[in-house]
Each structure stands twice: as structure tokens, then as C-alpha cells.
């Protein structure tokens, strides 16, 4: 496995587009090759009104190229999901432009498939019907949808495509089941198949595997990679899990508040080498990539705090030589809980 | 002892056969107690009018099924036909009306803002208090009685449906939107399916209300019907007739409730997965 590299490949787009590395808010970040599918320009998102108005996103610009898996990570509550909702057209941005294949978009449409963490598929349709749903809505009128013998050929074609997609996600044996009969991981597979059935230009995924157990998460990560390799689909993936982002992404973007300014912006962007198997997560290269991005992308103070807390935890678990021993019976000296051990490092202030 | 303790455990499941037996036991205890009390009262006072015996109840049933000497029609079937006609017209109109208004007002906030104050105020007015007005405006014919049943059931059904539509998770609506349906498809194909099982449960809950207002309307102004017959029987102090007709109303309401429930479970099987006992 090659180590992750910061890409400094210049982009063919105008000078507003910055190279990878630590990004300056307002300049678009991009990877090197491929046609640009999605462009965000000077995105600002504010919530609330008047005195209570809060800036959530500040000056976010980026390009997403065809075939990329762009993973967005950041601290909880920084605005990652808000960014995705705006790209999807569900909560339009206060300022800025979203362009899909060069055309400005403001409302949701089929060209941007979505997979959310929960409420991804309706409960009243079986897995097969769920995958068919978008195709039927697109290709059939309301009457044709309801009347059983109308447009039979088209309905058969949609059913065949749905079954093929379910087989691709490993659920052909569960095609007749309702979502309440499926596990969380199976529901997410149906959601992915449903999104792919619409042949979107880009797939937006908002922490789709967060509520799953680690094993299911791993399986679905590999499935997503396999589907992406087969179809070449462009993916915009939001996650709070840095390891997941490094494993899946070909480009990683860190969204975080910048010191002294309200709202989150892109503070770091980096191209990532492709990792193809579970075993890659145990390699030193993978760990190094995660560590590099954690140190570069998150606030240095935050990173230092995490390191310090990890150190203290380790000392508590294994016992520190500097920790004063408990008093023996009859001893005159009594250690108090209020006074810290003299050799323990002071946590850095933020 | 462990069996008794298990009875105290919350949500302890029971078998279907146990459920049916317990249901029959509950009704059976009341029925047996009544007949025992009636016999005891008649033993003290043979002319007791308030608690008819089994024999008197049978006589009341026979009377209802005996053809009238002038019309040759059996009073029971005439009353049943009249009441069921009014009941069905009123309730079906309320179901259709509340589906349309509820889906639309629940989906479009501007429409909800327009209609909500009206619906709220109207629902706070007891339908009983509106009956004199309804009869004044619509007369004493079937239209007025159907409208009474309609207004009594339409308002709670509509308000409940609006809340159900508004409770649909936002992300589910977003998922629907991405698939590209038209507004009509969104309402009819998607939103309606989500709220349908709960709406049918609401309809079941309104069956009792519909019967109440049907009987009230027939008590005031009618020439046939279950409520009308109860009114006539009460003037004649014929408690046996009243009890027979009350049993008929209860049986009809039970059949309607069960029918809607079975229909719901058949049509919306997905909703009941994991709840069958």
C-alpha cells in the first residue's frame, strides 16, 4: 500500500481553485484529474434570524471530479451534514452557488442520489419495490402505476433491473421482505440500490453506516468500494469517523471552525491512496495517514488535548511510577485526592 | 406462584386462544350476572320493568322480527336498513373528506395555516350543540342526520390525519423528493401509504362516535331506525326492546371495528410486522 500523498497537481480550472493541503477558506479545493461533476462556490449557510443568527458554513468552495469518493470529516456539529443537505437541495444555502455539470441547482432531483443514516427507505414497500420505486415514478404515469396490466413490459424491465441491483448488493434472497424484516445493514444496502437505480451523477451519503455495528459497517464499506469500482460513480460521503473516511475516500476534506471566525470552512484537503481490503486498516501506512490528517486537519490544540488525554488514560490503566502510593496502615502521611501527582503533565489550555 | 407473578409483568405476551377466551369470559361474566340479577328481581317483583328476563328478551326479538300487519315489513330490518344507510353515508363522507383535507393540509404548511384555526374552533364545539342549528338549516330529513354524523367524525379524523402527515420524518420526505415524483404522486403514492394504517385505526375509533350521533339524530327526528325504535320503546317503558336494539348496535359496531382491522392488516401488512401475537 502506498502512503497517502498530498496532491499538488494543479487544477485546470481558474486560479480560484487551490491545490490540496491546508486550504484557505474561500478557495476551491479539487483533486487532479477527471471531469468536474460538482462545484461549490463561496457557500455560506446561516441559521436563525436577527440576533440569533448563526453562521454554520463560511466560504466553502470545492470541486468534485468524476469517479472521486470525496469524504468530509470534522468535529461533531461543525456543519458536515448541513453541507450535504445544501448540496442535495433540501436546505438551500444562504449564499453561494452549487453547480452540477456546470448547471446551477437549487432543488432536489434524481441527479443527486441520497443515502441518509436513518429513514432511508419507506417501510410500506418490499426491498424489490423500493428499488423499483424511482424507476416507476420516472417512467410511469399515475394510472399506469396503479392499473396492474398497463405498461406491463416497462414494469417487467424495472423489476428485472431492481433484482439485478439487489443481487449486486447481496440481497437477492431478501427481495420480497419489508424493511421491518431487514437488519440495519440490509436496509442500507436497499437504500444504496434504490439510489443507484436512478443512475445519479453523484451519490450523497450522510453518515450511512454510523448506526451499524462494526462488522456490518466494514462489510458495507467494502461493498461501497466494490460498487464504486464497477460503476465509477462519484460519491460525496460525510462521516465523523476519520478511519472510515481514509479507508473509503480518494479525497479527504476536513471541515472545521477556523480560529477567530464563526462557522466552519475547509481547513484541510488531501488526496488519499485507495485502500482495497480490510487488512489495509492494520497497515502502518493507514495509521500514518490517519495520524497525519488528524494532526494537520484538526486544530492543533484539539489534537494535543486528545494526545494528552490518551497519555493520561494509558498511565491510569498501567500505573504511573510518579503516582504516590496508598498510605500503609499506621503511616502518618495521607495523600489527598485534591492534590494531583507531581509528575503528571498539565493538559494544554484551548 | 410464578404464573401469578407473570401476570404482573408488563407486556407479558399471551396466546391468541387465551386472548379470545379472556374476551369471552369478560362478556360472559357480565351477561351471566345480568340474568342472575334479573331473575332475582323478578322473584321479588314479577312486574319489574327495569330488568327484563331472558324470556322477555326473546319476546322482544320475536316482536321485532314479526311482520307489521299493515306494511308486512319486519320492523327490525326496516330500522336496520334506515340506520345503516345514514351511518354509512355519514361515515364514508367523513372518511373521504378527511383524507382529502388531511393529506393536503398536512403536506402544505400554507394550507394548514389557512384551515387550522377553523378546524380547531369547529372541533372545540360539541357536535350535540350544533344539532338544533343543523336541523334548522337542513330540515329533519336524512341529509341533516347524515351531516350530523359527518361533522362529528370528520373533524377528529382530519385533525388526526394532519398530525400524522406532519409527523412523517423529514428525511423520508427528502428521500421521496429525490426520486422525482410529482406533487400528486407524492401525496397519493407515498404520503398516503405511510399514514394509511394509522388513519384506519382512527376510523375504527370514530365508529363509536358515529353510532352515538346517529342514535341522537334518530331520537330527535325519525320515522325508522335503531335510534327511533329505542325512543319509541323508552316511551312504552319497554326495556327489553331497548336492550335488544342496544345489543344489535354493539354487535354491528364490533363487526365494523373488526372488519376495518382485518382490512388494515391485510392491506398494510408491513405496518404490523413484529406486532402479531
Amino acid at each position: 500500500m502506498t502512503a497517502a500523498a498530498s496532491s499538488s497537481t494543479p487544477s485546470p480550472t481558474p486560479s480560484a481553485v487551490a491545490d490540496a493541503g491546508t486550504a484557505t477558506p474561500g478557495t476551491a479545493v479539487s483533486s487532479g484529474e477527471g471531469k468536474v461533476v460538482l462545484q461549490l462556490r463561496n457557500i455560506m449557510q446561516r441559521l436563525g434570524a436577527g440576533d440569533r443568527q448563526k453562521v454554520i458554513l463560511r466560504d466553502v468552495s470545492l470541486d468534485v471530479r468524476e469517479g472521486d469518493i470525496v469524504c468530509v470529516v470534522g468535529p461533531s456539529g461543525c456543519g458536515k451534514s448541513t453541507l450535504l443537505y445544501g448540496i442535495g437541495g433540501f436546505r438551500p444555502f444562504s449564499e453561494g452557488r452549487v453547480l452540477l455539470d456546470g448547471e446551477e441547482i437549487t432543488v432536489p432531483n434524481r441527479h443527486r442520489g441520497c443515502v441518509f443514516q436513518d429513514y432511508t427507505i419507506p417501510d410500506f414497500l418490499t426491498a424489490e419495490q423500493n428499488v423499483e420505486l424511482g424507476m416507476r415514478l420516472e417512467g410511469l404515469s399515475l394510472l399506469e402505476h396503479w392499473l396492474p396490466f398497463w405498461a406491463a413490459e416497462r414494469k417487467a424491465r424495472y423489476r428485472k433491473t431492481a433484482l439485478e441491483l439487489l443481487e449486486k448488493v447481496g440481497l437477492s434472497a431478501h427481495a420480497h421482505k419489508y424493511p421491518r424484516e431487514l437488519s440495519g445493514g440490509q436496509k442500507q444496502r436497499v437504500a444504496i440500490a434504490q439510489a443507484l437505480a436512478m443512475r445519479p451523477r453523484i451519490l450523497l451519503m450522510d453518515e450511512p453506516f454510523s448506526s451499524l455495528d462494526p462488522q456490518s459497517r466494514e462489510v458495507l464499506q467494502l461493498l461501497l468500494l466494490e460498487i464504486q469500482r464497477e460503476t465509477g460513480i462519484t460519491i460525496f460521503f460525510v462521516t465523523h469517523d476519520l478511519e472510515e473516511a481514509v479507508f473509503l475516500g480518494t479525497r479527504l476534506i476536513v471541515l472545521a471552525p477556523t480560529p477567530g471566525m464563526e462557522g466552519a470552512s475547509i481547513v484541510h484537503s488531501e488526496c488519499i491512496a485507495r485502500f482495497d481490503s480490510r487488512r489495509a486498516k492494520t497497515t502502518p501506512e493507514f495509521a500514518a495517514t490517519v495520524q497525519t490528517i488528524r494532526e494537520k486537519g484538526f486544530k492543533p490544540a484539539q489534537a494535543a488535548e486528545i494526545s494528552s488525554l490518551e497519555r493520561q488514560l494509558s498511565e491510569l490503566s498501567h500505573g504511573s511510577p510518579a503516582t504516590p502510593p496508598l498510605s500503609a496502615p499506621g503511616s502518618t502521611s495521607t495523600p489527598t485526592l485534591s492534590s494531583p501527582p507531581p509528575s503528571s503533565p498539565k493538559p494544554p489550555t484551548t | 406462584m410464578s404464573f401469578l407473578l407473570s401476570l404482573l409483568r408488563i407486556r407479558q405476551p399471551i396466546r391468541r386462544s387465551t386472548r379470545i377466551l379472556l374476551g369471552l369470559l369478560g362478556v360472559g361474566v357480565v351477561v351471566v350476572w345480568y340474568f342472575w340479577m334479573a331473575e332475582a328481581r323478578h322473584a321479588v317483583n314479577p312486574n319489574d320493568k327495569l330488568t327484563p328476563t331472558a324470556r322477555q328478551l326473546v319476546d322482544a326479538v320475536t316482536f321485532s322480527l314479526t311482520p307489521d300487519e299493515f306494511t308486512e315489513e319486519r320492523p327490525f330490518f326496516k330500522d336496520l336498513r334506515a340506520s345503516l344507510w345514514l351511518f354509512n353515508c355519514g361515515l364514508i363522507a367523513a372518511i373521504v373528506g378527511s383524507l382529502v383535507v388531511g393529506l393536503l393540509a398536512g403536506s402544505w404548511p400554507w394550507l394548514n395555516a389557512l384551515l387550522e384555526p377553523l378546524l380547531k374552533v369547529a372541533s372545540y364545539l360539541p357536535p350535540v350543540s350544533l344539532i338544533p342549528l343543523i336541523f334548522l338549516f337542513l330540515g329533519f330529513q336524512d341529509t341533516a342526520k347524515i351531516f350530523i354524523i359527518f361533522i362529528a367524525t370528520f373533524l377528529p379524523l382530519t385533525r388526526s390525519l394532519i398530525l400524522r402527515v406532519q409527523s412523517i420524518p423529514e428525511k423520508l420526505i427528502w428521500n421521496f423528493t429525490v426520486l422525482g415524483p410529482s406533487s400528486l404522486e407524492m401525496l397519493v403514492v407515498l404520503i398516503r401509504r405511510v399514514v394509511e394504517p394509522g388513519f384506519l385505526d382512527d376510523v375504527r375509533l370514530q365508529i363509536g362516535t358515529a353510532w352515538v350521533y346517529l342514535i341522537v339524530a334518530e331520537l330527535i327526528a325519525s320515522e325508522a331506525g335503531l335510534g327511533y325504535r329505542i325512543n319509541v320503546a323508552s316511551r312504552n317503558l319497554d326495556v327489553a326492546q331497548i336492550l335488544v336494539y342496544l345489543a344489535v348496535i354493539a354487535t354491528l359496531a364490533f363487526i365494523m371495528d373488526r372488519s376495518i382491522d382485518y382490512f388494515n392488516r391485510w392491506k398494510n401488512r408491513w405496518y404490523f410486522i413484529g406486532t402479531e401475537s
Side-chain angles (χ1 to χ4, degrees):
Chain A
M1 290 296 160
T2 57
S6 286
S7 163
S8 57
T9 312
S11 158
T13 53
S15 56
V17 175
D19 292 341
T22 305
T24 311
T27 51
V29 292
S30 172
S31 59
E33 296 161 15
K35 181 188 162 198
V36 172
V37 171
L38 180 75
Q39 291 171 289
L40 304 185
R41 290 289 176 266
N42 305 113
I43 297 296
M44 292 281 280
Q45 181 66 302
R46 297 185 193 90
L47 289 181
D51 292 339
R52 290 191 191 166
Q53 193 175 74
K54 206 176 153 196
V55 176
I56 306 296
L57 297 170
R58 173 178 294 281
D59 247 349
V60 172
S61 297
L62 67 93
D63 291 347
V64 177
R65 294 187 181 266
E66 200 157 29
D68 266 353
I69 305 178
V70 175
C71 288
V72 179
V73 290
S76 280
C78 71
K80 308 183 291 296
S81 296
T82 304
L83 180 66
L84 186 139
Y85 298 159
I87 294 170
F90 307 116
R91 288 191 192 142
F93 294 119
S94 309
E95 281 175 42
R97 298 168 77 205
V98 179
L99 298 123
L100 189 72
D101 289 329
E103 279 182 34
E104 190 160 357
I105 44 168
T106 51
V107 294
N109 60 29
R110 294 190 178 111
H111 300 302
R112 285 160 289 157
C114 286
V115 179
F116 297 109
Q117 185 180 341
D118 44 20
Y119 303 114
T120 47
I121 50 172
D123 284 343
F124 56 85
L125 296 171
T126 62
E128 183 200 320
Q129 289 167 341
N130 259 300
V131 178
E132 264 183 60
L133 179 63
M135 291 184 276
R136 288 174 72 112
L137 289 170
E138 187 181 21
L140 302 172
S141 67
L142 201 54
L143 265 179
E144 286 172 337
H145 182 88
W146 268 339
L147 296 172
F149 300 111
W150 280 36
E153 199 187 306
R154 269 179 281 161
K155 287 176 185 172
R157 197 168 64 238
Y158 300 149
R159 197 171 305 122
K160 184 167 173 277
T161 307
L163 289 171
E164 282 168 6
L165 283 166
L166 283 173
E167 193 171 337
K168 202 190 282 270
V169 299
L171 280 186
S172 47
H174 302 275
H176 61 285
K177 288 187 181 169
Y178 287 101
R180 290 188 186 190
E181 295 170 302
L182 301 174
S183 68
Q186 289 170 331
K187 280 190 246 190
Q188 291 301 69
R189 290 180 198 228
V190 175
I192 291 169
Q194 186 188 66
L196 290 174
M198 302 310 299
R199 300 174 308 280
R201 286 294 283 133
I202 185 168
L203 191 58
L204 307 176
M205 305 182 86
D206 182 21
E207 304 200 51
F209 311 144
S210 294
S211 54
L212 304 177
D213 60 275
Q215 286 79 17
S216 302
R217 202 180 309 153
E218 215 167 68
V219 168
L220 282 170
Q221 286 169 357
L222 290 166
L223 177 69
L224 187 67
L225 284 177
E226 192 187 317
I227 289 172
Q228 202 280 331
R229 301 284 150 77
E230 271 181 48
T231 60
I233 191 166
T234 311
I235 298 177
F236 190 89
F237 193 101
V238 165
T239 180
H240 63 263
D241 186 337
L242 185 52
E243 285 191 11
E244 182 174 63
V246 170
F247 182 65
L248 289 175
T250 55
R251 164 158 286 276
L252 200 138
I253 286 170
V254 181
L255 201 67
T258 44
M261 283 159 81
E262 200 188 4
S265 50
I266 297 175
V267 296
H268 183 75
S269 171
E270 186 159 340
C271 271
I272 306 288
R274 287 189 183 255
F275 296 99
D276 281 327
S277 72
R278 285 188 296 141
R279 258 181 266 121
K281 289 187 183 180
T282 58
T283 61
E285 289 83 4
F286 185 86
T289 308
V290 170
Q291 189 58 25
T292 306
I293 290 165
R294 182 174 285 149
E295 282 168 8
K296 280 190 192 171
F298 293 87
K299 271 198 256 182
Q302 216 172 33
E305 186 180 0
I306 289 171
S307 301
S308 166
L309 286 167
E310 282 174 348
R311 205 164 41 246
Q312 287 183 38
L313 199 61
S314 176
E315 283 166 9
L316 285 168
S317 302
H318 298 113
S320 164
T323 307
L326 288 172
S327 303
S331 159
T332 52
S333 67
T334 312
T336 58
L337 287 172
S338 56
S339 51
S343 64
S344 64
K346 248 178 132 178
T349 51
T350 52
Chain B
M1 186 62 180
S2 63
F3 169 72
L4 290 171
L5 285 173
S6 75
L7 291 177
L8 293 172
R9 214 170 292 141
I10 292 177
R11 296 251 180 133
Q12 174 72 12
I14 56 172
R15 276 186 235 148
R16 192 178 156 77
S17 53
T18 310
R19 184 190 303 280
I20 293 170
L21 271 169
L22 286 171
L24 289 171
L25 181 67
V27 172
V29 161
V30 170
V31 168
V32 165
W33 168 81
Y34 169 81
F35 285 121
W36 169 81
M37 184 194 56
E39 293 297 334
R41 284 174 66 99
H42 276 262
V44 171
N45 175 17
N47 293 324
D48 183 79
K49 294 267 188 214
L50 291 180
T51 49
T53 59
R55 177 83 209 153
Q56 288 171 322
L57 288 171
V58 168
D59 288 342
V61 171
T62 310
F63 173 77
S64 302
L65 295 174
T66 305
D68 182 81
E69 58 179 329
F70 298 109
T71 62
E72 292 187 359
E73 204 176 357
R74 291 179 170 79
F76 173 72
F77 292 114
K78 184 181 172 189
D79 296 331
L80 189 65
R81 204 169 43 245
S83 289
L84 283 180
W85 163 249
L86 297 174
F87 181 91
N88 289 332
C89 287
L91 189 60
I92 289 170
I95 289 169
V96 171
S98 60
L99 261 178
V100 172
V101 176
L103 283 176
L104 294 175
S107 303
W108 282 299
W110 64 267
L111 188 59
N112 186 45
L114 186 68
L115 294 177
E116 195 185 20
L118 278 170
L119 290 170
K120 266 190 181 163
V121 166
S123 66
Y124 296 152
L125 296 171
V128 170
S129 62
L130 297 174
I131 289 175
L133 269 179
I134 293 169
F135 280 129
L136 272 173
F137 278 99
L138 296 176
F140 291 93
Q141 306 307 315
D142 286 354
T143 314
K145 292 169 217 154
I146 290 170
F147 189 76
I148 289 168
I149 298 167
F150 168 81
I151 206 73
T153 50
F154 165 79
L155 291 167
L157 280 175
T158 304
R159 290 191 71 198
S160 177
L161 187 56
I162 289 173
L163 287 172
R164 286 187 186 279
V165 174
Q166 289 173 338
S167 304
I168 296 175
E170 190 179 36
K171 285 191 186 144
L172 196 57
I173 299 289
W174 289 354
N175 263 319
F176 291 160
T177 312
V178 166
L179 299 175
S182 64
S183 296
L184 184 62
E185 283 169 333
M186 181 86 104
L187 272 177
V188 167
V189 176
L190 299 169
I191 292 178
R192 178 192 58 88
R193 293 291 306 275
V194 176
V195 299
E196 192 175 82
F199 178 71
L200 287 173
D201 280 340
D202 291 338
V203 170
R204 283 173 59 203
L205 292 173
Q206 292 304 312
I207 288 172
T209 306
W211 275 111
V212 163
Y213 284 96
L214 167 68
I215 300 304
V216 167
E218 285 181 345
L219 287 174
I220 295 171
S222 228
E223 291 173 353
L226 300 172
Y228 163 77
R229 196 63 59 191
I230 289 172
N231 192 22
V232 167
S234 71
R235 281 193 230 135
N236 298 331
L237 294 177
D238 190 353
V239 177
Q241 187 83 75
I242 294 172
L243 288 182
V244 165
Y245 271 65
L246 286 179
V248 167
I249 292 168
T251 306
L252 286 171
F254 178 78
I255 291 170
M256 286 174 187
D257 177 87
R258 293 283 86 216
S259 302
I260 295 175
D261 189 36
Y262 287 135
F263 173 72
N264 200 8
R265 285 172 188 274
W266 168 76
K267 189 156 188 306
N268 298 303
R269 187 180 86 80
W270 60 271
Y271 185 74
F272 296 96
I273 290 170
T275 62
E276 295 98 351
S277 57

